[in-house]
Amino acid sequence: KSGWLTGPKESGDYYYESGEYSLLELKERYLIYATLNKNYADFAIEVDIRFLNLGENGDCGIVFRCQGEGNTASYYLFSVNNTSYRLLLRSGGEWRTIQNWQESEYIKSSPAVNRLKVACRGSQIDVYANGQLLGSHIDNTLASGIFGLEASEANTHAHFDNLVVYSVNTSEVTPGPYDSARQYYNQAVQYRQS
C-alpha cells in the first residue's frame, strides 16, 4: 500500500483492491479526490487509470498544484472520460475552463487502461494520454501545490496504479515510483459541484 487515504466517506469510498488504489464516487454532482501532502512547483505526474464504471457525465483524473482544503481549495484538474479530456481551474470557489471537453483518438474507452500525465513548468501545463501530447496550456494562477487523484459523478469507479512523480526542472529526468508516499499526510476532499 502506498499511503493513500482509505475508508468510506460521505460521498465516496477510498480503498485498495488487487494492488490498485480505488475511488468510488457515490453522489450525483459531486467530485471526490485524495491528495498526498507533498508540495511541487515544476514537476510531472503520471498514473494509470482504469474505469470500472463511469457515471453519467463522470470522469477521473489528476488534481495538481492544489492549495488549501475542502470547498475553498484552489487547484487544476486534468480529467478524462471514455472519449475526451478537459483541463479546469478551481479558484475562489469557482470553476474556470482552460480546455473544455475535447475528443481525442488517444483516449481509450473502458475497460482499457489510460496512462495520464501532467507536466508543469512555470506557467506551462502539458497534458498527455498514453504517451501522446493532448494539449499545451498557459496559466499562471497557481505556481505550486500538492497533487491527488480524482473521480466525479455518482457511480463513477476508477482504479489508479503505477504512479510516478518527478522533477522537470532539470535537464536529466529520471522518473521513479512514488514509494515514499507513506510519510506524507493525505486528505480526502468531497464537495458538491456548482
Side-chain angles (χ1 to χ4, degrees):
K1 307 251 187 318
S2 59
W4 293 95
L5 177 79
T6 57
K9 301 294 177 191
E10 179 184 349
S11 65
D13 199 2
Y14 308 74
Y15 63 96
Y16 290 94
E17 183 176 46
S18 302
E20 298 175 321
Y21 187 63
S22 181
L23 292 177
L24 172 59
E25 167 58 77
L26 298 173
K27 290 188 173 182
E28 286 185 29
R29 301 209 33 87
Y30 270 73
L31 174 149
I32 62 171
Y33 63 89
T35 59
L36 294 174
N37 197 16
K38 174 76 171 149
N39 198 310
Y40 289 94
D42 294 339
F43 71 100
I45 179 172
E46 298 184 39
V47 66
D48 291 338
I49 296 181
R50 182 169 54 93
F51 305 125
L52 300 181
N53 187 58
L54 275 178
E56 186 177 346
N57 300 315
D59 63 77
C60 302
I62 301 170
V63 170
F64 58 100
R65 288 186 170 172
C66 182
Q67 302 171 3
E69 296 181 14
N71 290 336
T72 61
S74 296
Y75 54 87
Y76 295 102
L77 169 63
F78 167 48
S79 62
V80 299
N81 59 25
N82 273 320
T83 61
S84 306
Y85 76 96
R86 68 178 175 177
L87 180 62
L88 302 175
L89 169 66
R90 177 86 175 170
S91 182
E94 301 291 328
W95 289 105
R96 181 167 61 91
T97 301
I98 297 171
Q99 171 64 60
N100 207 350
W101 285 113
Q102 177 70 44
E103 286 193 13
S104 172
E105 64 183 310
Y106 302 119
I107 297 171
K108 301 174 188 173
S109 296
S110 178
V113 172
N114 282 289
R115 180 85 178 158
L116 299 188
K117 175 182 173 181
V118 172
C120 298
R121 184 172 303 182
S123 61
Q124 182 170 332
I125 302 168
D126 296 332
V127 293
Y128 300 79
N130 302 307
Q132 301 297 317
L133 179 66
L134 300 177
S136 292
H137 307 278
I138 302 295
D139 190 276
N140 61 6
T141 307
L142 303 173
S144 65
I146 61 178
F147 69 89
L149 307 171
E150 170 270 344
S152 72
E153 289 301 328
N155 301 314
T156 294
H157 188 191
H159 282 200
F160 301 84
D161 201 10
N162 300 315
L163 172 72
V164 292
V165 180
Y166 51 93
S167 172
V168 294
N169 203 18
T170 61
S171 58
E172 282 187 40
V173 175
T174 309
Y178 196 72
D179 290 331
S180 58
R182 285 186 190 87
Q183 66 184 315
Y184 303 112
Y185 168 80
N186 59 65
Q187 64 176 335
V189 177
Q190 50 195 12
Y191 63 88
R192 185 166 180 81
Q193 298 183 70
S194 51

